[in-house]
Amino acid sequence: MNEIIDLGLRVREAVPLVQITDCHLYADPAGHLRGAVTRRTFAAVLAAASHGAGAAALLATGDLAQDGEAGAYRYLADVLGRCGPPTFCLPGNHDVPAVMAAELVGPNVHHPWRVLAGAWQIILLDSTVPGSDDGALGTAGLARLEAALAAAPDRFALVVLHHPPVPIEGVTPLPVSLADAAELFQMLARHPQTRAVLFGHIHQPYEALCGRVQVFGSPATSLQFDTRAKPVRVAPLPPAYRRLRLMADGHVESTVCWVPDAMHAGHPGHGGG
Ligand SMILES: [Fe+2]
């Protein structure tokens, strides 16, 4: 997480990105999460995301493996290594960061903390807390964010992490699953070039405007949750990914792309890879 990558785009160019999140992959190819064979749903989503206009990079925003298994990361590294653009990876609460750092390696797969792209800087922050499903940036994470923002005051900033820094009904008993969300937004307010925050974890789409900051949460490549139901249940929605375009004027265009075919690909009774 110390690497700085420069994608080298022109400042007047939009930066097209794809976010994939909450893949919950297993070492066992048949491993499934509440009926969704997550390798199959992931493969179908990645195939759909690879169609059409090319992304400059993929952002993989955590819970990439269900149980932090080495075999799950090796599978993911193999698939992403054959994918077109580079992938920038972050851990989630289901990941084991040390195993992920050791095994999710290969061509096209990176774990940077800063990415420079056109008029933008993308800052990737590990929000995991060992032994907890909730997250925090901690003193060290906030210091890294401050350093990244201070290093590039003339670039718009997109902050990427796994845990939502905003309240999401039903996701956790806490009001916000990122413990230091208030400190995060205070810091972003001191650095007005920050224009967007992107996260995973919630297995459902979310979009809001917090001051000048566009905030995006995204559905999973595995399965979605209806967190407003009591108790929380699996939502009858297909796997998905998110497209983003970081515009040269500091605005972000984004859409969630649902992949209905992946729902059938992910059912354990269905044939295919
Ligand atoms: Fe997840």
Side-chain angles (χ1 to χ4, degrees), residues 6 17 54 61 87 90 111 160 162 226 244 246 253 260 269:
D6 190 342
L17 301 171
T61 54
T87 301
L90 274 178
H111 304 256
V160 186
H162 179 69
D226 179 357
L244 304 106
L246 313 184
E253 293 180 354

Side-chain angles (χ1 to χ4, degrees), residues 84-141:
T87 301
F88 306 136
C89 304
L90 274 178
N93 48 294
H94 278 268
D95 291 303
V96 177
V99 179
M100 184 170 143
E103 304 291 345
L104 184 53
V105 293
N108 267 354
V109 183
H110 305 272
H111 304 256
W113 72 293
R114 297 177 61 203
V115 176
L116 308 177
W120 285 76
Q121 169 178 217
I122 304 165
I123 304 164
L124 297 101
L125 300 171
D126 179 354
S127 60
T128 61
V129 174
S132 174
D133 282 341
D134 293 318
L137 296 174
T139 308

Side-chain angles (χ1 to χ4, degrees), residues 22-24 62-63 93-94 162 201-203 220 222 225:
D22 294 273
C23 311
H24 291 269
D63 283 3
N93 48 294
H94 278 268
H162 179 69
H201 191 61
I202 60 174
H203 293 237
S222 51
F225 292 134

